[in-house]
Amino acid sequence: MAKKKLSRKALLKNTDEFLTLSGKVVLYFNQHMHQVRLIGIGVAAIAVLYLSVWGYMKHTNKKGQAAYNVAYDTLVQSLQSKNVGEDSIKKSEGLFENVISDYGMSKAADLALAQVGHAKFTNKQYDDAIDYYDKFSTKASDNEAYETLTLLALAACHEARGEMKKAAGILDGIIETSDNPFRENAMLNLERIYRLGNQPGKADKILKIFAKEYANSPFYPMVKARI
C-alpha cells in the first residue's frame, strides 16, 4: 500500500507546533536563567566533589594497601624467624596500627584491625585483642567468611581468659548454621571447651553429631577414636 503523503498544511502545522514548543523552552530558560545557572553550578560542584572524593579514596586505598603489605611481610618474616618473640610480633603490630591511624578510610585499614587483634592475642593481651576483633567484626558484617573467622577468634580469646561459657555461646551460634564452611572447626573447638569445662556428656554429643554429618572430613578418624 502506498504511503500516505502529508499535505503542505499538515507539514506546516507540525513545523509551527515544533517552533511553538521551542519558543516556549527558550522563553522558560530566559525567564529562569538565574535558577538554571544555579542548577548548572550545583551539578558541576557535585561532579567536582565526586571526582575529588573518588580520587582521594583511590589514593588512600593504594597507599593503605602498600603500608599493609609492608606490615604483613614483616609479620611473615618474624613468624619464619627462629627467634619469634614478643618484640618481633610487636613490630608488625605497630606497622598495622599505623595503617589504621594513617589510612583509616582505606580497605586495608579494616583488615589491619584483625591483624592487630591477632598480634594482641599472640602476646596474651586478650582484652585488647577482643576490642580489635569486635571492631573488625563490625566492618566485616557483610562478609560471612570474615565474620565467622572473627567469631572463632573471639571464642579463642574468651577461652584463653577462662570464660568458657562465653566461648561456648559464640561457637554454638556458628554451629547452628548448617552450611557454614567453618562449622567443623567450631564443633571441634566446642567439644574441647566442654571437656575443659568438665561437661563430658555434651562433649560426646558433639563428637557423635560430627561423626554422623562429616564422615568425609579429614578429622573423622580422630573423632571416631575419641567417641
Side-chain angles (χ1 to χ4, degrees):
M1 181 182 289
K3 192 173 181 179
K4 187 176 179 180
K5 187 176 180 180
L6 291 174
S7 66
R8 183 173 180 275
K9 183 178 179 180
L11 288 171
L12 289 173
K13 181 181 178 182
N14 290 338
T15 303
D16 288 341
E17 289 176 350
F18 174 75
L19 292 174
T20 300
L21 177 61
S22 300
K24 289 180 178 178
V25 171
V26 171
L27 180 62
Y28 175 84
F29 276 97
N30 286 334
Q31 292 176 343
H32 299 82
M33 186 55 67
H34 180 66
Q35 292 93 324
V36 171
R37 286 199 184 100
L38 289 178
I39 292 171
I41 292 171
V43 171
I46 292 171
V48 170
L49 178 63
Y50 172 80
L51 290 173
S52 298
V53 172
W54 179 80
Y56 173 77
M57 290 305 299
K58 184 178 180 181
H59 173 76
T60 301
N61 279 324
K62 185 177 180 180
K63 297 289 286 185
Q65 186 62 56
Y68 179 92
N69 291 343
V70 171
Y72 186 79
D73 289 343
T74 302
L75 175 63
V76 171
Q77 289 172 15
S78 66
L79 293 176
Q80 291 176 344
S81 172
K82 294 181 180 179
N83 300 315
V84 180
E86 184 175 341
D87 290 340
S88 61
I89 298 296
K90 274 195 169 295
K91 182 179 178 181
S92 61
E93 177 188 327
L95 292 172
F96 282 120
E97 286 179 330
N98 289 341
V99 175
I100 297 168
S101 61
D102 296 344
Y103 308 102
M105 295 180 69
S106 69
K107 296 177 182 178
D110 295 344
L111 295 175
L113 290 169
Q115 296 289 4
V116 175
H118 174 70
K120 298 289 187 185
F121 176 83
T122 302
N123 286 331
K124 300 180 180 180
Q125 297 172 284
Y126 304 122
D127 290 350
D128 291 336
I130 289 172
D131 287 341
Y132 275 96
Y133 281 132
D134 280 337
K135 290 175 184 177
F136 179 69
S137 180
T138 302
K139 301 285 186 179
S141 59
D142 59 343
N143 186 307
E144 185 180 354
Y146 282 164
E147 189 173 14
T148 304
L149 286 170
T150 306
L151 289 173
L152 288 170
L154 284 168
C157 289
H158 287 296
E159 180 184 347
R161 290 174 59 177
E163 299 169 344
M164 301 303 180
K165 189 173 182 179
K166 284 186 178 181
I170 293 172
L171 295 171
D172 262 329
I174 298 173
I175 291 170
E176 286 176 359
T177 307
S178 59
D179 60 345
N180 192 306
F182 302 99
R183 188 167 180 260
E184 293 179 48
N185 188 287
M187 292 179 77
L188 294 175
N189 288 346
L190 183 57
E191 185 268 340
R192 184 187 65 255
I193 286 174
Y194 281 147
R195 296 282 180 201
L196 292 172
N198 197 28
Q199 296 176 291
K202 288 186 176 181
D204 290 339
K205 183 179 178 180
I206 289 290
L207 290 178
K208 288 176 182 177
I209 294 173
F210 187 101
K212 182 180 178 180
E213 297 183 6
Y214 296 107
N216 295 323
S217 169
F219 300 109
Y220 180 80
M222 177 190 73
V223 170
K224 285 293 290 182
R226 293 171 63 179
I227 293 177

